[in-house]
Coordinates of all heavy atoms in Angstrom, one line a residue:
P136 N 9.5 11.1 10.6 CA 8.2 11.3 11.1 C 7.8 10.3 12.2 O 8.4 9.2 12.2 CB 7.3 11.2 9.9 CG 8.1 10.7 8.8 CD 9.5 10.8 9.2
P137 N 6.9 10.6 13.1 CA 6.5 9.6 14.1 C 5.9 8.4 13.4 O 5.4 8.4 12.3 CB 5.4 10.4 14.9 CG 5.6 11.8 14.6 CD 6.3 11.9 13.2
P138 N 6.0 7.2 14.1 CA 5.5 6.0 13.5 C 4.1 6.1 13.0 O 3.7 5.5 12.0 CB 5.6 5.0 14.6 CG 6.6 5.5 15.6 CD 6.5 7.0 15.4
S139 N 3.2 6.8 13.7 CA 1.8 6.8 13.2 C 1.7 7.6 11.9 O 0.9 7.2 11.0 CB 0.9 7.5 14.3 OG 1.3 8.9 14.4
E140 N 2.5 8.6 11.7 CA 2.5 9.3 10.4 C 3.0 8.4 9.3 O 2.5 8.4 8.2 CB 3.3 10.6 10.5 CG 2.7 11.7 11.2 CD 3.5 12.9 11.3 OE1 4.3 13.2 10.3 OE2 3.4 13.7 12.2
E141 N 4.1 7.6 9.6 CA 4.6 6.7 8.6 C 3.6 5.6 8.3 O 3.4 5.3 7.1 CB 5.9 6.0 9.1 CG 7.1 6.9 9.1 CD 8.3 6.1 9.6 OE1 8.4 4.9 9.6 OE2 9.3 6.8 10.0
A142 N 2.9 5.1 9.3 CA 1.9 4.1 9.0 C 0.7 4.7 8.2 O 0.2 4.0 7.3 CB 1.3 3.5 10.4
D143 N 0.3 5.9 8.5 CA -0.7 6.5 7.7 C -0.3 6.8 6.3 O -1.1 6.5 5.4 CB -1.1 7.9 8.4 CG -1.9 7.7 9.7 OD1 -2.4 6.6 9.9 OD2 -2.0 8.7 10.4
G144 N 1.0 7.2 6.1 CA 1.5 7.4 4.8 C 1.5 6.1 4.0 O 1.2 6.0 2.8
A145 N 2.0 5.0 4.6 CA 2.1 3.7 4.0 C 0.7 3.2 3.6 O 0.4 2.7 2.6 CB 2.8 2.7 4.9
S146 N -0.3 3.4 4.5 CA -1.6 3.0 4.3 C -2.2 3.8 3.1 O -2.9 3.2 2.3 CB -2.5 3.2 5.6 OG -3.8 2.9 5.3
W147 N -2.0 5.1 3.1 CA -2.5 5.9 2.0 C -1.9 5.4 0.7 O -2.6 5.3 -0.3 CB -2.1 7.4 2.2 CG -2.7 8.2 1.1 CD1 -3.9 8.8 1.1 CD2 -2.0 8.6 -0.1 NE1 -4.0 9.5 -0.1 CE2 -2.9 9.4 -0.8 CE3 -0.7 8.3 -0.6 CZ2 -2.5 10.0 -2.1 CZ3 -0.4 8.8 -1.8 CH2 -1.3 9.7 -2.5
C148 N -0.6 5.1 0.6 CA 0.1 4.6 -0.6 C -0.5 3.3 -1.0 O -0.8 3.1 -2.2 CB 1.6 4.5 -0.4 SG 2.4 6.1 -0.3
L149 N -0.7 2.4 -0.1 CA -1.3 1.1 -0.4 C -2.7 1.3 -1.0 O -3.0 0.7 -2.0 CB -1.4 0.2 0.8 CG -2.0 -1.1 0.6 CD1 -1.2 -2.0 -0.4 CD2 -2.1 -1.9 1.9
D150 N -3.5 2.2 -0.4 CA -4.9 2.4 -0.9 C -4.8 3.0 -2.3 O -5.6 2.6 -3.2 CB -5.6 3.4 0.0 CG -6.0 2.8 1.3 OD1 -6.0 1.5 1.4 OD2 -6.3 3.5 2.3
A151 N -3.9 3.9 -2.5 CA -3.8 4.5 -3.9 C -3.3 3.5 -4.9 O -3.9 3.5 -6.0 CB -2.8 5.7 -3.8
L152 N -2.4 2.7 -4.6 CA -1.9 1.6 -5.5 C -3.0 0.6 -5.8 O -3.2 0.2 -6.9 CB -0.7 0.9 -4.9 CG 0.6 1.7 -5.0 CD1 1.7 1.0 -4.2 CD2 1.0 2.0 -6.4
T153 N -3.8 0.2 -4.7 CA -4.9 -0.7 -4.9 C -5.9 -0.1 -5.8 O -6.4 -0.8 -6.7 CB -5.5 -1.1 -3.5 OG1 -4.5 -1.6 -2.7 CG2 -6.6 -2.1 -3.7
N154 N -6.3 1.2 -5.6 CA -7.3 1.8 -6.5 C -6.8 1.9 -7.9 O -7.6 1.6 -8.8 CB -7.6 3.2 -5.9 CG -8.4 3.2 -4.7 OD1 -9.1 2.2 -4.4 ND2 -8.3 4.2 -3.9
L155 N -5.5 2.2 -8.1 CA -5.0 2.3 -9.4 C -5.0 1.0 -10.1 O -5.4 0.8 -11.3 CB -3.5 2.8 -9.4 CG -2.8 2.9 -10.7 CD1 -3.5 3.8 -11.7 CD2 -1.4 3.4 -10.5
R156 N -4.6 -0.1 -9.4 CA -4.7 -1.4 -10.0 C -6.1 -1.8 -10.4 O -6.3 -2.3 -11.5 CB -4.2 -2.5 -8.9 CG -4.2 -3.9 -9.5 CD -4.2 -4.9 -8.4 NE -5.3 -4.7 -7.5 CZ -5.3 -4.9 -6.2 NH1 -4.2 -5.3 -5.6 NH2 -6.4 -4.7 -5.5
D157 N -7.1 -1.5 -9.6 CA -8.5 -1.8 -9.9 C -8.9 -1.0 -11.1 O -9.6 -1.6 -12.0 CB -9.4 -1.5 -8.7 CG -9.1 -2.4 -7.5 OD1 -8.5 -3.5 -7.8 OD2 -9.5 -2.1 -6.4
V158 N -8.5 0.3 -11.2 CA -8.9 1.1 -12.4 C -8.3 0.5 -13.7 O -8.9 0.3 -14.7 CB -8.5 2.5 -12.2 CG1 -8.5 3.3 -13.5 CG2 -9.3 3.2 -11.2
L159 N -7.0 0.1 -13.6 CA -6.3 -0.5 -14.7 C -7.0 -1.9 -15.2 O -7.1 -2.1 -16.3 CB -4.8 -0.8 -14.4 CG -4.0 0.5 -14.3 CD1 -2.6 0.2 -13.8 CD2 -3.9 1.3 -15.6
R160 N -7.4 -2.7 -14.2 CA -8.0 -3.9 -14.5 C -9.4 -3.7 -15.2 O -9.7 -4.3 -16.1 CB -8.3 -4.7 -13.2 CG -7.0 -5.5 -12.8 CD -7.3 -6.4 -11.6 NE -6.2 -7.2 -11.3 CZ -6.0 -7.7 -10.1 NH1 -6.9 -7.6 -9.2 NH2 -4.9 -8.4 -9.9
R161 N -10.2 -2.7 -14.7 CA -11.4 -2.4 -15.3 C -11.3 -1.9 -16.7 O -12.0 -2.2 -17.6 CB -12.2 -1.4 -14.4 CG -12.8 -2.0 -13.2 CD -13.8 -1.1 -12.5 NE -13.4 0.2 -12.2 CZ -12.9 0.6 -11.0 NH1 -12.8 -0.3 -10.0 NH2 -12.5 1.8 -10.8
A162 N -10.3 -1.0 -16.9 CA -10.0 -0.5 -18.2 C -9.6 -1.6 -19.2 O -10.1 -1.6 -20.3 CB -8.9 0.6 -18.2
A163 N -8.8 -2.5 -18.7 CA -8.4 -3.6 -19.6 C -9.6 -4.5 -19.9 O -9.8 -4.9 -21.1 CB -7.3 -4.4 -18.9
A164 N -10.5 -4.7 -18.9 CA -11.7 -5.5 -19.2 C -12.6 -4.9 -20.2 O -13.2 -5.6 -21.0 CB -12.4 -5.8 -17.8
L165 N -12.7 -3.6 -20.1 CA -13.6 -2.9 -21.0 C -13.1 -3.0 -22.5 O -13.9 -2.9 -23.4 CB -13.7 -1.4 -20.7 CG -14.5 -1.1 -19.5 CD1 -14.4 0.4 -19.1 CD2 -16.0 -1.4 -19.7
H166 N -11.8 -3.2 -22.6 CA -11.2 -3.4 -24.0 C -11.0 -4.9 -24.3 O -10.3 -5.2 -25.2 CB -9.9 -2.6 -24.1 CG -10.1 -1.1 -24.0 ND1 -10.6 -0.4 -25.0 CD2 -9.9 -0.3 -22.9 CE1 -10.7 0.9 -24.6 NE2 -10.3 1.0 -23.3
G167 N -11.6 -5.7 -23.6 CA -11.6 -7.2 -23.9 C -10.2 -7.8 -23.6 O -9.9 -8.8 -24.2
Q168 N -9.5 -7.2 -22.7 CA -8.2 -7.8 -22.3 C -8.1 -8.0 -20.8 O -8.9 -7.5 -20.1 CB -7.1 -6.8 -22.8 CG -7.0 -6.5 -24.2 CD -5.9 -5.6 -24.6 OE1 -5.0 -5.3 -23.8 NE2 -5.9 -5.2 -25.9
S169 N -7.2 -8.8 -20.4 CA -7.0 -9.0 -19.0 C -5.7 -8.4 -18.6 O -4.8 -8.3 -19.4 CB -7.0 -10.5 -18.7 OG -5.9 -11.1 -19.3
L170 N -5.6 -8.0 -17.4 CA -4.4 -7.3 -16.8 C -4.1 -8.1 -15.5 O -4.9 -8.0 -14.6 CB -4.7 -5.9 -16.6 CG -3.5 -5.1 -15.9 CD1 -2.4 -5.0 -16.9 CD2 -4.0 -3.7 -15.5
H171 N -3.0 -8.7 -15.5 CA -2.6 -9.4 -14.3 C -1.7 -8.5 -13.5 O -0.6 -8.1 -13.9 CB -1.9 -10.7 -14.6 CG -1.3 -11.4 -13.3 ND1 -2.2 -11.9 -12.4 CD2 -0.1 -11.4 -12.8 CE1 -1.4 -12.4 -11.4 NE2 -0.2 -12.1 -11.6
V172 N -2.2 -8.1 -12.3 CA -1.4 -7.3 -11.4 C -1.4 -8.1 -10.1 O -2.5 -8.4 -9.5 CB -2.1 -5.9 -11.1 CG1 -1.2 -5.1 -10.2 CG2 -2.2 -5.2 -12.4
P173 N -0.3 -8.5 -9.6 CA -0.2 -9.3 -8.4 C -0.8 -8.6 -7.2 O -0.8 -7.4 -7.1 CB 1.3 -9.6 -8.2 CG 2.0 -8.5 -9.0 CD 1.0 -8.1 -10.1
N174 N -1.1 -9.4 -6.2 CA -1.6 -8.8 -4.9 C -0.4 -8.0 -4.3 O 0.8 -8.3 -4.5 CB -1.9 -9.9 -3.9 CG -3.2 -10.6 -4.3 OD1 -4.1 -10.0 -4.9 ND2 -3.4 -11.8 -3.9
L175 N -0.8 -7.0 -3.6 CA 0.2 -6.1 -3.0 C 0.7 -6.7 -1.7 O -0.1 -7.3 -0.9 CB -0.4 -4.7 -2.7 CG -0.9 -4.0 -4.0 CD1 -1.6 -2.8 -3.6 CD2 0.2 -3.7 -4.9
H176 N 2.0 -6.6 -1.4 CA 2.5 -7.2 -0.2 C 3.1 -6.1 0.8 O 3.7 -5.2 0.3 CB 3.7 -8.2 -0.5 CG 3.3 -9.3 -1.3 ND1 2.8 -10.5 -0.7 CD2 3.2 -9.5 -2.6 CE1 2.5 -11.4 -1.7 NE2 2.7 -10.8 -2.9
I177 N 2.8 -6.3 2.0 CA 3.4 -5.5 3.1 C 4.0 -6.5 4.1 O 3.2 -7.2 4.8 CB 2.3 -4.6 3.8 CG1 1.7 -3.7 2.8 CG2 3.0 -3.9 4.9 CD1 0.6 -2.8 3.4
S178 N 5.3 -6.5 4.1 CA 6.0 -7.5 4.9 C 5.4 -8.9 4.8 O 5.4 -9.4 3.7 CB 6.1 -7.1 6.4 OG 4.8 -7.0 7.0
D179 N 4.8 -9.5 5.8 CA 4.3 -10.8 5.7 C 2.8 -10.8 5.5 O 2.1 -11.8 5.5 CB 4.6 -11.6 6.9 CG 3.9 -11.1 8.2 OD1 3.6 -9.9 8.2 OD2 3.7 -11.9 9.1
K180 N 2.2 -9.6 5.2 CA 0.8 -9.4 4.9 C 0.5 -9.4 3.4 O 1.3 -8.8 2.7 CB 0.3 -8.1 5.6 CG 0.4 -8.1 7.0 CD -0.5 -9.0 7.7 CE -0.4 -8.8 9.2 NZ -1.0 -9.9 9.9
V181 N -0.6 -9.9 3.0 CA -1.0 -9.9 1.6 C -2.4 -9.2 1.6 O -3.2 -9.5 2.5 CB -1.1 -11.3 1.0 CG1 -1.7 -11.3 -0.4 CG2 0.2 -12.0 1.1
V182 N -2.6 -8.3 0.7 CA -3.9 -7.7 0.5 C -4.6 -8.4 -0.6 O -4.2 -8.5 -1.7 CB -3.7 -6.2 0.2 CG1 -5.1 -5.5 0.0 CG2 -2.9 -5.5 1.2
C183 N -5.8 -8.9 -0.2 CA -6.7 -9.6 -1.2 C -7.1 -8.5 -2.2 O -7.7 -7.5 -1.9 CB -7.8 -10.2 -0.5 SG -9.0 -10.9 -1.7
S184 N -6.9 -8.8 -3.5 CA -7.3 -7.9 -4.5 C -8.8 -7.7 -4.8 O -9.2 -6.8 -5.4 CB -6.6 -8.3 -5.9 OG -7.0 -9.5 -6.3
T185 N -9.5 -8.6 -4.2 CA -11.0 -8.6 -4.4 C -11.7 -7.9 -3.2 O -12.4 -7.0 -3.3 CB -11.6 -10.0 -4.6 OG1 -11.0 -10.5 -5.8 CG2 -13.1 -9.9 -4.8
S186 N -11.3 -8.4 -2.0 CA -12.0 -7.9 -0.8 C -11.3 -6.8 0.0 O -11.8 -6.1 0.8 CB -12.3 -9.1 0.2 OG -11.0 -9.5 0.7
G187 N -10.0 -6.7 -0.3 CA -9.2 -5.7 0.4 C -8.7 -6.2 1.8 O -8.1 -5.4 2.5
N188 N -9.1 -7.4 2.2 CA -8.7 -7.9 3.5 C -7.2 -8.2 3.5 O -6.6 -8.7 2.6 CB -9.4 -9.2 3.8 CG -10.9 -8.9 4.1 OD1 -11.3 -7.8 4.3 ND2 -11.7 -10.0 4.2
F189 N -6.6 -8.0 4.7 CA -5.2 -8.4 4.9 C -5.2 -9.8 5.3 O -6.0 -10.3 6.2 CB -4.6 -7.5 6.0 CG -4.2 -6.1 5.6 CD1 -5.0 -5.1 5.9 CD2 -3.0 -5.9 4.9 CE1 -4.6 -3.8 5.5 CE2 -2.7 -4.7 4.5 CZ -3.5 -3.6 4.8
M190 N -4.2 -10.6 4.8 CA -4.0 -11.9 5.2 C -2.5 -12.1 5.4 O -1.7 -11.5 4.8 CB -4.5 -12.9 4.1 CG -6.0 -12.8 3.7 SD -6.5 -13.9 2.4 CE -5.6 -13.3 1.0
C191 N -2.2 -13.1 6.3 CA -0.8 -13.4 6.5 C -0.3 -14.3 5.4 O -1.0 -15.3 5.0 CB -0.7 -14.1 7.8 SG 1.1 -14.4 8.2
A192 N 0.8 -13.9 4.7 CA 1.3 -14.7 3.6 C 1.8 -16.1 4.1 O 1.9 -17.0 3.3 CB 2.5 -13.9 3.0
K193 N 1.9 -16.2 5.4 CA 2.4 -17.5 5.9 C 1.3 -18.4 6.4 O 1.5 -19.4 7.0 CB 3.4 -17.3 7.0 CG 4.6 -16.5 6.5 CD 5.6 -16.2 7.7 CE 6.7 -15.3 7.2 NZ 7.6 -14.8 8.2
D194 N 0.0 -18.0 6.2 CA -1.1 -18.7 6.6 C -1.2 -20.1 6.0 O -0.7 -20.3 4.8 CB -2.4 -18.0 6.3 CG -2.8 -17.0 7.4 OD1 -2.2 -17.1 8.5 OD2 -3.7 -16.2 7.1
A195 N -1.7 -21.0 6.7 CA -1.9 -22.4 6.1 C -2.9 -22.3 4.9 O -3.7 -21.4 4.8 CB -2.5 -23.3 7.2
D196 N -2.7 -23.2 4.0 CA -3.6 -23.3 2.8 C -5.0 -23.3 3.1 O -5.8 -22.7 2.4 CB -3.2 -24.5 1.9 CG -1.8 -24.3 1.3 OD1 -1.3 -23.1 1.2 OD2 -1.2 -25.3 0.8
D197 N -5.4 -24.1 4.2 CA -6.8 -24.2 4.5 C -7.4 -22.8 5.0 O -8.5 -22.5 4.7 CB -7.1 -25.3 5.5 CG -6.4 -25.1 6.8 OD1 -5.3 -24.5 6.8 OD2 -6.9 -25.6 7.8
R198 N -6.6 -22.0 5.7 CA -7.0 -20.7 6.1 C -7.2 -19.8 4.9 O -8.2 -19.0 4.9 CB -6.1 -20.1 7.1 CG -6.5 -18.9 7.7 CD -5.6 -18.4 8.9 NE -5.9 -17.1 9.3 CZ -6.4 -16.8 10.5 NH1 -6.5 -17.7 11.4 NH2 -6.7 -15.6 10.8
I199 N -6.3 -19.8 4.0 CA -6.4 -19.0 2.8 C -7.6 -19.4 2.0 O -8.4 -18.6 1.5 CB -5.1 -19.0 2.0 CG1 -4.0 -18.4 2.8 CG2 -5.3 -18.4 0.6 CD1 -2.6 -18.5 2.2
A200 N -7.8 -20.7 1.8 CA -9.0 -21.2 1.1 C -10.3 -20.8 1.8 O -11.3 -20.5 1.1 CB -8.9 -22.8 1.0
A201 N -10.3 -20.7 3.1 CA -11.5 -20.3 3.9 C -11.8 -18.8 3.5 O -12.9 -18.5 3.5 CB -11.2 -20.5 5.4
H202 N -10.7 -18.0 3.4 CA -11.0 -16.6 3.0 C -11.7 -16.5 1.6 O -12.7 -15.8 1.5 CB -9.6 -15.9 2.9 CG -9.8 -14.5 2.2 ND1 -10.4 -13.5 2.9 CD2 -9.5 -14.1 1.0 CE1 -10.5 -12.4 2.0 NE2 -9.9 -12.8 0.9
Y203 N -11.2 -17.3 0.7 CA -11.8 -17.2 -0.7 C -13.2 -17.9 -0.7 O -13.9 -17.6 -1.7 CB -10.8 -17.9 -1.7 CG -9.6 -17.1 -1.9 CD1 -8.3 -17.6 -1.6 CD2 -9.7 -15.8 -2.5 CE1 -7.2 -16.8 -1.8 CE2 -8.5 -15.1 -2.7 CZ -7.3 -15.5 -2.3 OH -6.2 -14.8 -2.5
A204 N -13.5 -18.7 0.2 CA -14.9 -19.2 0.3 C -15.8 -18.4 1.2 O -16.9 -18.7 1.4 CB -14.8 -20.7 0.8
G205 N -15.2 -17.4 1.9 CA -16.0 -16.6 2.9 C -16.9 -15.6 2.3 O -16.9 -15.3 1.1
K206 N -17.8 -15.1 3.2 CA -18.8 -14.2 2.8 C -18.3 -12.9 2.3 O -18.8 -12.3 1.4 CB -19.7 -13.9 4.0 CG -20.6 -15.1 4.4 CD -21.4 -14.8 5.6 CE -22.1 -16.0 6.1 NZ -22.9 -15.7 7.4
Q207 N -17.2 -12.3 3.0 CA -16.7 -11.1 2.5 C -16.1 -11.2 1.1 O -16.4 -10.3 0.3 CB -15.5 -10.6 3.5 CG -16.0 -10.2 4.8 CD -15.7 -8.7 5.0 OE1 -14.8 -8.1 4.3 NE2 -16.4 -8.1 5.9
Y208 N -15.4 -12.2 0.8 CA -14.8 -12.4 -0.5 C -15.9 -12.5 -1.5 O -15.9 -11.9 -2.6 CB -13.8 -13.6 -0.5 CG -13.2 -13.8 -1.9 CD1 -12.1 -13.1 -2.3 CD2 -13.8 -14.7 -2.8 CE1 -11.5 -13.2 -3.5 CE2 -13.2 -14.8 -4.1 CZ -12.1 -14.1 -4.4 OH -11.6 -14.3 -5.7
E209 N -16.9 -13.4 -1.2 CA -18.0 -13.6 -2.2 C -18.8 -12.4 -2.4 O -19.1 -12.0 -3.5 CB -18.9 -14.7 -1.6 CG -18.3 -16.1 -1.6 CD -18.0 -16.6 -3.0 OE1 -18.8 -16.4 -3.9 OE2 -16.9 -17.3 -3.1
G210 N -19.0 -11.6 -1.3 CA -19.8 -10.4 -1.5 C -19.0 -9.3 -2.3 O -19.6 -8.7 -3.2
W211 N -17.7 -9.1 -2.1 CA -17.0 -8.2 -2.9 C -16.8 -8.7 -4.3 O -16.8 -7.8 -5.2 CB -15.6 -7.9 -2.2 CG -15.7 -6.9 -1.1 CD1 -15.6 -7.2 0.2 CD2 -15.9 -5.5 -1.3 NE1 -15.7 -6.0 0.9 CE2 -15.9 -5.0 0.0 CE3 -16.1 -4.7 -2.4 CZ2 -16.2 -3.6 0.2 CZ3 -16.3 -3.4 -2.1 CH2 -16.4 -2.8 -0.8
S212 N -16.8 -10.0 -4.5 CA -16.7 -10.5 -5.9 C -18.0 -10.1 -6.7 O -17.9 -9.6 -7.8 CB -16.6 -12.0 -5.9 OG -15.4 -12.4 -5.4
V213 N -19.1 -10.2 -6.0 CA -20.4 -9.8 -6.7 C -20.4 -8.3 -6.9 O -20.8 -7.9 -8.0 CB -21.6 -10.2 -5.8 CG1 -22.9 -9.7 -6.3 CG2 -21.7 -11.7 -5.7
V214 N -20.0 -7.5 -6.0 CA -20.0 -6.1 -6.1 C -19.1 -5.7 -7.3 O -19.4 -4.8 -8.2 CB -19.5 -5.4 -4.8 CG1 -19.2 -3.9 -5.1 CG2 -20.6 -5.5 -3.8
R215 N -17.9 -6.2 -7.4 CA -17.0 -5.9 -8.5 C -17.5 -6.3 -9.8 O -17.3 -5.6 -10.8 CB -15.6 -6.5 -8.2 CG -14.9 -5.8 -7.0 CD -13.5 -6.3 -6.7 NE -13.0 -5.7 -5.5 CZ -12.4 -4.5 -5.4 NH1 -12.2 -3.8 -6.5 NH2 -11.9 -4.1 -4.3
E216 N -18.1 -7.5 -9.9 CA -18.7 -7.9 -11.2 C -19.8 -7.0 -11.6 O -19.9 -6.6 -12.8 CB -19.2 -9.4 -11.0 CG -18.2 -10.4 -11.0 CD -18.7 -11.8 -10.7 OE1 -19.9 -12.0 -11.0 OE2 -17.9 -12.6 -10.2
K217 N -20.6 -6.6 -10.7 CA -21.7 -5.7 -11.0 C -21.2 -4.3 -11.4 O -21.7 -3.7 -12.4 CB -22.6 -5.5 -9.7 CG -23.8 -4.6 -10.0 CD -24.8 -5.1 -11.0 CE -26.0 -4.2 -11.1 NZ -27.0 -4.7 -12.0
L218 N -20.1 -3.9 -10.8 CA -19.5 -2.6 -11.2 C -19.0 -2.7 -12.6 O -19.2 -1.7 -13.4 CB -18.3 -2.2 -10.3 CG -17.6 -1.0 -10.6 CD1 -18.5 0.2 -10.6 CD2 -16.4 -0.8 -9.7
L219 N -18.3 -3.8 -13.0 CA -17.9 -3.9 -14.4 C -19.0 -3.9 -15.4 O -18.9 -3.2 -16.4 CB -17.1 -5.2 -14.5 CG -15.6 -5.2 -14.0 CD1 -15.0 -6.6 -14.1 CD2 -14.8 -4.2 -14.7
K220 N -20.1 -4.6 -15.0 CA -21.2 -4.6 -15.9 C -21.8 -3.2 -16.1 O -22.2 -2.8 -17.2 CB -22.3 -5.6 -15.4 CG -21.9 -7.0 -15.6 CD -23.0 -8.0 -15.1 CE -22.5 -9.4 -15.2 NZ -23.5 -10.3 -14.6
M221 N -21.9 -2.5 -15.0 CA -22.5 -1.2 -15.0 C -21.6 -0.2 -15.8 O -22.1 0.7 -16.5 CB -22.7 -0.6 -13.6 CG -23.9 -1.3 -12.9 SD -24.1 -0.8 -11.2 CE -24.7 0.9 -11.5
E222 N -20.3 -0.3 -15.7 CA -19.4 0.5 -16.4 C -19.5 0.2 -17.9 O -19.4 1.1 -18.7 CB -17.9 0.3 -15.9 CG -17.7 0.9 -14.6 CD -16.3 0.6 -14.1 OE1 -15.7 -0.4 -14.5 OE2 -15.8 1.4 -13.3
E223 N -19.7 -1.0 -18.3 CA -19.9 -1.4 -19.7 C -21.3 -0.8 -20.2 O -21.4 -0.3 -21.3 CB -19.9 -2.9 -19.9 CG -18.5 -3.5 -19.7 CD -18.5 -5.0 -19.8 OE1 -19.6 -5.6 -20.0 OE2 -17.5 -5.6 -19.5
E224 N -22.3 -0.9 -19.4 CA -23.6 -0.5 -19.7 C -23.7 1.0 -19.8 O -24.5 1.6 -20.6 CB -24.6 -1.0 -18.7 CG -26.1 -0.9 -19.2 CD -27.0 -1.6 -18.2 OE1 -26.6 -2.6 -17.6 OE2 -28.2 -1.2 -18.2
Y225 N -23.1 1.7 -18.9 CA -23.1 3.2 -18.8 C -21.7 3.7 -18.9 O -21.2 4.3 -17.9 CB -23.8 3.6 -17.5 CG -25.1 3.0 -17.3 CD1 -25.3 1.9 -16.4 CD2 -26.2 3.5 -17.9 CE1 -26.5 1.4 -16.1 CE2 -27.5 2.9 -17.7 CZ -27.6 1.9 -16.8 OH -28.8 1.3 -16.6
P226 N -21.1 3.7 -20.1 CA -19.7 4.1 -20.2 C -19.4 5.6 -19.9 O -18.3 6.0 -19.5 CB -19.3 3.8 -21.6 CG -20.6 3.7 -22.3 CD -21.6 3.3 -21.3
N227 N -20.4 6.5 -20.0 CA -20.2 7.9 -19.8 C -20.6 8.4 -18.4 O -20.7 9.6 -18.2 CB -20.9 8.7 -20.9 CG -20.3 8.4 -22.3 OD1 -19.1 8.2 -22.4 ND2 -21.1 8.4 -23.3
A228 N -21.0 7.5 -17.6 CA -21.5 7.8 -16.3 C -20.4 8.2 -15.3 O -19.3 7.8 -15.4 CB -22.4 6.7 -15.7

């Protein structure tokens, strides 16, 4: 297939795996367990499991630390925590 189709397919697979990982983590949390699933890697890129941002795996430590201290990461952390609480509060929704 043309490169754009391959890229679209890889992107779709990455999204599907990320969504599955998140569902598994939430299910484990609902049962009082933790599930460690490592961040997904694409060549030298790392996908943040909280914000979904791509980061270079070879970035300096201070740049990676800046991501985890940034507004996007903090915002997505709050959203994911709220989602877990809502899923616990409304299990049949």
Side-chain angles (χ1 to χ4, degrees):
S139 62
E140 286 181 28
E141 285 182 18
D143 289 344
S146 176
W147 181 88
C148 287
L149 178 62
D150 290 344
L152 288 172
T153 301
N154 290 337
L155 177 59
R156 181 200 58 217
D157 293 342
V158 167
L159 291 172
R160 281 186 174 159
R161 286 194 304 266
L165 286 174
H166 295 286
Q168 299 183 8
S169 64
L170 176 69
H171 174 70
V172 180
N174 287 335
L175 302 173
H176 295 274
I177 299 178
S178 65
D179 67 336
K180 299 288 183 194
V181 176
V182 178
C183 175
S184 61
T185 300
S186 68
N188 288 349
F189 283 100
M190 299 181 291
C191 182
K193 299 175 185 175
D194 276 344
D196 290 341
D197 59 334
R198 185 173 171 117
I199 293 172
H202 167 75
Y203 290 114
K206 291 178 185 176
Q207 287 246 339
Y208 181 84
E209 291 295 323
W211 279 108
S212 294
V213 170
V214 168
R215 291 183 185 276
E216 286 174 23
K217 180 66 174 179
L218 177 62
L219 283 174
K220 287 179 184 176
M221 290 178 70
E222 286 175 338
E223 290 173 3
E224 191 172 336
Y225 307 103
N227 296 325

